[in-house]
């Protein structure tokens, strides 16, 4: 049995047997917010030094906690997350804490120098491509500078400070799409010579700039900006391509300015996909030119999106490397459509699912899709959503309202369909309408549960009901997005970041070909309990746990000690977000978005 944990990376290493340990070989490692419950020897009053001395006197003692309890030796399995810190006796110095970067880069080396950064003179130089830099890249430089230098007017440091980042992007015309190369390499010498950032695409370059912005801190002793632990070499790429956040603008309307701010916050943690749940049973804020009465189902006239509004959000996101995938959730969830088009609903009192027995329903859906893609009746207009993927919903369909309507039942019988067969017919027609405008369908898990391998092979399954769906669907060759309810649903206010971090999108999948079909996952911020007033504090910092899991999957061990390192980085990230002006809630709030428990600093001194 190996006693105690060691290290932030490799879990367990045997500590020297206490009796044999020499005092000068003894190091006490501090493991933040961990404890070894049920392994108390006794309580010892006094200082940390008193506890160290008392532990050395006890043959079975391997450490103590910050409440003053000496602890018996035990294996890693005895350690769990706690309000206290654990001090563990070891025979080597404690490794440096992981760097305060979120998500943690996949590979990095760092040094021990503090490198000053000259805010007043700092410049971004584009080495490749030659010629004038693309406007999107220049805009990204301005955004990075705003994050790096909170106060550029502060006194500039003298000689030896970093003044330049040289940027090379191999292909600036690669379009934003699922699976685009988002990797980058960032090298920061310690001597003040130019740092370099190389990336295959603009989107990789944006990620590198975000990392650089996280490395620069203001140092209040020297009154200058610094990068600690220089020199740095960071070689980084995400594990998963779909790192998403569902934003629901039906349950509460989310104004265009709020949508942009949410996207800004996502880029800080390298989230790259908005799943825009833009319509649901409570409200449809979406303009339609082919069906102008559709947005009669908005909450009010002022809580609506014009096509121009949506294009502006999509373009804003694209400039930041964020895809926007819209969801039109049929046949369930669309009672709001009956306000403008009662003919697509079974009846006013029993409005969902949408009627399968009238072409009016499919004409409305195809009108929306044609407008999204700038095709068919919308040919000649610019597309509204540009991404290849289109979410068709398909969840929570109860066919009771169909069964209560004689006309619908007669139609189903004429087609030799059961009510469930009518659901399949509907899903297939919606899929065909998406294909007709060149879009690839994403559906919620129920569609997979009902129709399984009868679904076209290009369908992407979003798993939300079970953790069994990803192994099952990928074994049949279907791509999967991981978003299991109660685990990555941010509307569950009582689910902690630790629990979100512990989820494994690849659980139960060992075959590499199948693993590759898990394109990623997303946190789902269903909108019943949020609007622009509390969205940031509800989503953050928990979404950073999801973001890091999806980016740094192989880089962070899922051990108690590994999690302790995550805690210290997420604590820092939450404070950094606050400093950048994004209202992320405290890390340890028991119900997401609760206020700090009392006065206190965000940062450790
Ligand atoms: C850049 O990427 C696009 C899209 O992947 C590709 O069509 C084009 O050939 C690439 N250009 C270069 C110079 O590699
Ligand atoms: C409804 O649409 C289907 C599929 O496009 C078509 O076959 C059918 O003739 C249409 N029915 C009516 C009444 O227009
Ligand atoms: C069933 O649908 C028909 C045709 O739209 C409609 O006239 C009728 O009111 C509905 N019946 C019920 C019981 O809702
Ligand atoms: C109707 O469906 C049933 C069950 O799927 C099938 O056995 C039967 O042959 C079908 N009848 C017609 C006329 O298609
Ligand atoms: C896999 O999914 C299919 C389709 O939903 C279902 O019929 C089957 O029972 C599932 N198998 C397992 C082992 O869960």
């Amino acid at each position: 049995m190996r006693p105690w944990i060691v290290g932030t990376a490799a879990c367990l290493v045997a500590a020297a047997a206490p009796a044999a340990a020499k005092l000068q070989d003894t190091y006490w490692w501090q493991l933040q917010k961990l404890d070894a419950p049920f392994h108390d020897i006794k309580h010892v009053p006094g200082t940390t030094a008193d506890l160290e001395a008392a532990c050395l006197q006890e043959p079975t003692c391997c450490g103590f906690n910050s409440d003053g309890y000496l602890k018996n030796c035990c294996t890693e399995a005895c350690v769990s997350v706690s309000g206290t810190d654990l001090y563990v006796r070891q025979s080597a110095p404690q490794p440096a804490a992981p760097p305060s970067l979120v998500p943690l880069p996949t590979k990095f080396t760092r040094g021990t120098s503090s490198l000053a950064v000259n805010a007043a003179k700092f410049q971004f130089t584009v080495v490749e491509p030659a010629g004038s830099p693309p406007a999107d890249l220049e805009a990204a430089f301005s955004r990075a500078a705003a994050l790096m230098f909170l106060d550029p007017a502060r006194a500039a440091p003298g000689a030896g400070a970093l003044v330049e980042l040289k940027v090379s992007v191999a292909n600036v015309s690669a379009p934003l799409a699922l699976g685009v190369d988002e990797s980058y390499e960032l090298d920061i010498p310690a001597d003040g010579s130019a740092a370099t950032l190389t990336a295959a695409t603009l989107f990789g370059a944006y990620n590198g700039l975000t990392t650089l912005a996280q490395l620069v801190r203001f140092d209040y002793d020297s009154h200058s900006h610094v990068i600690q632990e220089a020199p740095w070499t960071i070689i980084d790429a995400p594990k998963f391509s779909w790192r998403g956040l569902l934003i629901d603008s039906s349950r509460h309307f989310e104004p265009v300015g709020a949508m942009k701010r949410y996207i800004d916050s996502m880029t800080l943690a390298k989230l790259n996909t908005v799943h825009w749940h833009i319509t649901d049973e409570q409200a449809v804020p979406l303009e339609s030119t082919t069906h102008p009465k559709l947005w009669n189902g908005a909450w009010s006239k002022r809580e609506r999106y014009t096509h121009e509004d949506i294009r502006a959000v999509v373009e804003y996101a694209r400039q930041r490397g964020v895809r926007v995938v819209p969801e039109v959730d049929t046949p369930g969830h669309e009672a709001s459509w009956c306000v403008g088009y009662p003919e697509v609903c079974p009846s006013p009192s029993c409005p969902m699912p949408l009627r399968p027995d009238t072409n009016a329903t499919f004409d409305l859906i195809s009108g929306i899709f044609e407008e999204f893609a700038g095709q068919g009746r919308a040919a000649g207009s610019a597309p509204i959503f540009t991404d290849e993927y289109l979410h068709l919903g398909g969840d929570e369909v109860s066919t009771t309202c169909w069964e209560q309507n004689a006309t619908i039942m007669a139609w189903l019988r004429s087609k030799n369909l059961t009510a469930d067969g009518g659901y399949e017919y509907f899903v297939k027609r919606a899929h065909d309408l998406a294909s007709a405008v060149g879009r690839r369908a994403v559906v919620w898990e129920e569609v997979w549960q009902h129709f399984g391998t009868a679904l076209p092979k290009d369908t992407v399954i979003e798993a939300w009901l079970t953790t069994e769906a990803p192994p099952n669907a990928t074994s049949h060759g279907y791509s999967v997005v991981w978003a299991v309810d109660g685990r990555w649903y941010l509307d569950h206010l009582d689910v902690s970041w630790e629990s979100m971090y512990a989820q494994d999108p690849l659980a139960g999948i060992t075959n590499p070909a199948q693993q590759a079909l898990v394109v990623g996952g997303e946190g789902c911020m269903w909108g019943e309990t949020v609007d622009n007033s509390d969205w940031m504090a509800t989503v953050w910092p928990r979404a950073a746990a999801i973001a890091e899991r999806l980016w740094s999957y192989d880089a962070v061990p899922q051990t108690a000690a590994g999690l302790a390192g995550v805690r210290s980085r997420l604590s820092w990230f939450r404070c950094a977000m606050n400093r950048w002006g994004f209202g992320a809630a405290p890390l340890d709030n028991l119900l997401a978005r609760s206020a700090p428990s009392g006065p206190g600093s965000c940062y450790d001194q």
Side-chain angles (χ1 to χ4, degrees), residues 59-77:
T60 63
C61 182
C62 272
F64 53 89
N65 72 8
S66 52
D67 286 342
Y69 285 90
L70 301 187
K71 298 283 175 174
N72 277 316
C73 300
C74 60
T75 60
E76 187 193 16

Side-chain angles (χ1 to χ4, degrees), residues 3 12 46 53 94 190 192 199 235 250 253 278 295 345 379 392 443 476 541 568:
L12 287 174
Q94 186 166 10
I235 299 172
S250 169
F253 181 72
I278 199 167
W295 65 3
C345 301
L392 303 179
V443 294
H476 291 99
S568 72

Side-chain angles (χ1 to χ4, degrees), residues 244-540:
L245 198 56
L246 180 148
I247 302 176
D248 172 2
S249 59
S250 169
R251 274 54 180 263
H252 284 98
F253 181 72
E254 297 291 356
V256 167
M259 290 295 294
K260 291 179 177 176
R261 192 79 180 141
Y262 303 161
I263 290 164
D264 287 339
S265 74
M266 290 169 65
T267 65
L268 300 172
K270 302 189 174 81
L271 288 174
N272 71 351
T273 308
V274 172
H275 169 174
W276 194 348
H277 189 83
I278 199 167
T279 165
D280 207 296
E281 62 186 88
Q282 288 88 348
V284 51
L286 174 67
E287 175 174 28
S288 169
T289 43
T290 61
H291 295 82
K293 290 185 288 183
L294 182 65
W295 65 3
N296 292 4
W299 286 114
S300 74
K301 277 195 176 174
R302 299 193 188 284
E303 291 162 297
R304 292 175 167 181
Y305 301 111
T306 67
H307 285 174
E308 286 315 309
D309 288 341
I310 300 172
R311 283 194 194 97
V313 171
V314 171
E315 173 59 10
Y316 188 90
R318 187 198 63 78
Q319 288 171 3
R320 288 155 180 77
V322 176
R323 302 162 51 230
V324 181
V325 176
E327 179 179 355
V328 177
D329 190 357
T330 68
H333 281 283
E334 297 300 1
S336 59
W337 296 12
C338 320
V339 178
Y341 295 97
E343 61 270 31
V344 304
C345 301
S347 77
S349 59
C350 201
M352 302 180 294
L354 299 174
R355 299 186 76 107
D357 62 329
T358 166
N359 278 353
T361 304
F362 300 102
D363 185 73
L364 173 49
I365 295 171
S366 72
I368 294 171
F369 289 0
E370 286 169 7
E371 292 165 39
F372 280 5
Q375 294 182 24
R377 282 163 281 179
S381 329
I384 295 167
F385 290 100
T386 51
D387 200 79
E388 182 193 352
Y389 291 81
L390 173 54
H391 205 304
L392 303 179
D395 59 315
E396 298 182 315
V397 174
S398 154
T399 52
T400 309
C401 294
W402 290 354
E403 284 152 35
Q404 288 174 5
N405 188 290
T407 316
I408 296 173
M409 289 311 285
W411 178 86
L412 288 169
R413 270 193 303 277
S414 77
K415 293 261 182 192
N416 196 24
L417 292 174
T418 59
D420 203 51
Y423 173 26
E424 181 172 7
Y425 166 89
F426 198 115
V427 164
K428 184 169 182 319
R429 259 186 99 170
H431 187 287
D432 290 346
L433 293 174
S435 300
V437 296
R439 298 292 161 95
R440 187 167 168 189
V442 188
V443 294
W444 291 108
E445 183 174 344
E446 286 93 330
V447 178
W448 164 253
Q449 288 186 350
H450 276 257
F451 314 119
T453 53
L455 291 171
K457 275 284 183 272
D458 65 352
T459 310
V460 179
I461 316 296
E462 180 158 13
W464 78 280
L465 292 167
T466 68
T467 51
E468 286 76 39
N472 190 353
T474 56
S475 77
H476 291 99
Y478 291 89
S479 294
V480 166
V481 171
W482 204 99
V484 178
D485 186 16
R487 296 163 188 254
W488 280 5
Y489 269 29
L490 294 152
D491 56 310
H492 289 258
L493 302 180
D494 58 347
V495 176
S496 65
W497 73 264
E498 287 98 336
S499 167
M500 293 189 171
Y501 203 93
Q503 304 308 321
D504 181 357
L506 298 182
I509 308 176
T510 48
N511 172 338
Q514 250 179 278
Q515 289 186 342
L517 289 170
V518 179
V519 292
E522 54 190 29
C524 295
M525 187 63 257
W526 296 104
E528 285 88 344
T529 61
V530 283
D531 67 9
N532 189 20
S533 69
D534 58 2
W535 190 96
M536 281 296 165
T538 312
V539 167
W540 302 106

Side-chain angles (χ1 to χ4, degrees), residues 65-132:
N65 72 8
S66 52
D67 286 342
Y69 285 90
L70 301 187
K71 298 283 175 174
N72 277 316
C73 300
C74 60
T75 60
E76 187 193 16
C78 73
V79 176
S80 59
V81 172
S82 158
T84 68
D85 290 355
L86 196 56
Y87 293 79
V88 182
R89 170 192 184 135
Q90 297 295 342
S91 55
Q94 186 166 10
S100 291
L101 292 172
V102 172
L104 191 69
T106 43
K107 283 187 202 154
F108 60 89
T109 60
R110 54 184 161 157
T112 53
S113 300
S114 176
L115 170 66
V117 185
N118 190 325
K121 292 195 180 144
F122 196 86
Q123 56 181 351
F124 300 87
T125 316
V126 180
V127 177
E128 189 193 348
S132 55

Side-chain angles (χ1 to χ4, degrees), residues 131-176:
S132 55
D136 284 352
L137 190 54
E138 296 217 295
F141 293 158
S142 303
R143 291 195 302 273
L147 296 174
M148 287 160 70
F149 307 122
L150 286 167
D151 186 357
R154 301 259 184 161
L162 181 66
V163 292
E164 185 180 18
L165 178 73
K166 291 187 164 155
V167 180
S168 303
V169 182
N171 186 343
V172 292
S173 53
L176 181 61

